[in-house]
Amino acid sequence: NKEEEEDVLAFLNEEKKEEPEETDNASTGNNESKTVEDEPKGLFCPDTGFGWEEYMLTRLDSELLRSASSDQDLSLFSIRIPDIDWTSEVGKTISKIILEKFKFNDLVFNYGSDGLSGIVQNQNTDQALVTAEALHGTLAKVLAEANSGLSIFIGISSRSLRLISGARLCGLSGVVY
């Protein structure tokens, strides 16, 4: 109902205020600056088919609100494959498997140069563990068959009957946005 939705929004907004502010490049010693070429073009990355990293938190917050309003669970998967080249054959195969597993490409997002985040609706922690184990096995098999020498790491966080912001859920799964 409308009143519950307003309570959820108020909670999420209050939690965002409590989170530390991002620091600028000067204070972190990071002198890299984004250029126009670094900005996302379109909704999906051409190399992976995943949504751009910059859009992830906004989408996660809206999915959290939807799941809280519908009393549904939600799981966030954080997957890293250090040193993967998404444009290689193995990278393309991994991308295809990920998109098939998560079903909706607008719920899968790039994370850094070697990872991704995926949102799964109506899935609790126990179901997410089963999904993660199966996905890990499938992806590890592809990496081994390609003699890539790459490893895969999967983190999970879920929202089950609690209110939580997207940024906090990301942190719990091992992703920092």
Side-chain angles (χ1 to χ4, degrees):
N1 74 33
K2 183 74 172 163
E3 200 171 282
E4 285 179 355
E5 197 169 303
E6 288 174 358
D7 289 344
V8 170
L9 283 172
F11 173 80
L12 291 175
N13 287 332
E14 188 63 35
E15 193 170 89
K16 284 180 184 177
K17 289 178 188 172
E18 294 173 9
E19 294 172 5
E21 296 294 318
E22 290 185 29
T23 57
D24 62 10
N25 288 342
S27 65
T28 61
N30 182 357
N31 294 326
E32 295 177 19
S33 61
K34 282 195 165 196
T35 64
V36 174
E37 293 171 6
D38 294 333
E39 295 298 316
K41 293 179 178 83
L43 293 176
F44 304 104
C45 172
D47 293 338
T48 60
F50 308 155
W52 294 102
E53 181 175 351
E54 291 81 355
Y55 303 146
M56 196 281 203
L57 271 181
T58 302
R59 183 58 191 264
L60 180 59
D61 280 336
S62 70
E63 289 301 317
L64 284 167
L65 181 60
R66 185 203 55 76
S67 69
S69 298
S70 305
D71 289 328
Q72 291 183 336
D73 297 323
L74 180 138
S75 293
L76 176 68
F77 290 77
S78 304
I79 302 173
R80 302 292 301 254
I81 307 172
D83 301 321
I84 191 165
D85 175 3
W86 293 109
T87 61
S88 69
E89 282 306 310
V90 72
K92 290 176 184 178
T93 301
I94 296 288
S95 294
K96 182 180 176 191
I97 291 168
I98 295 289
L99 290 171
E100 288 171 359
K101 189 66 176 174
F102 286 91
K103 296 182 181 114
F104 302 105
N105 62 343
D106 63 335
L107 295 177
V108 181
F109 300 86
N110 287 338
Y111 179 65
S113 62
D114 61 0
L116 62 114
S117 297
I119 302 168
V120 180
Q121 304 163 331
N122 205 22
Q123 187 176 70
N124 64 30
T125 305
D126 292 337
Q127 294 165 327
L129 285 169
V130 171
T131 299
E133 288 174 354
L135 185 60
H136 187 276
T138 300
L139 298 179
K141 183 178 177 185
V142 168
L143 294 172
E145 287 174 355
N147 293 318
S148 67
L150 300 175
S151 299
I152 181 166
F153 304 94
I154 301 177
I156 305 168
S157 185
S158 43
R159 184 218 88 77
S160 298
L161 304 173
R162 62 187 170 134
L163 299 177
I164 189 168
S165 72
R168 186 160 180 208
L169 192 68
C170 285
L172 293 172
S173 74
V175 174
V176 180
Y177 279 92

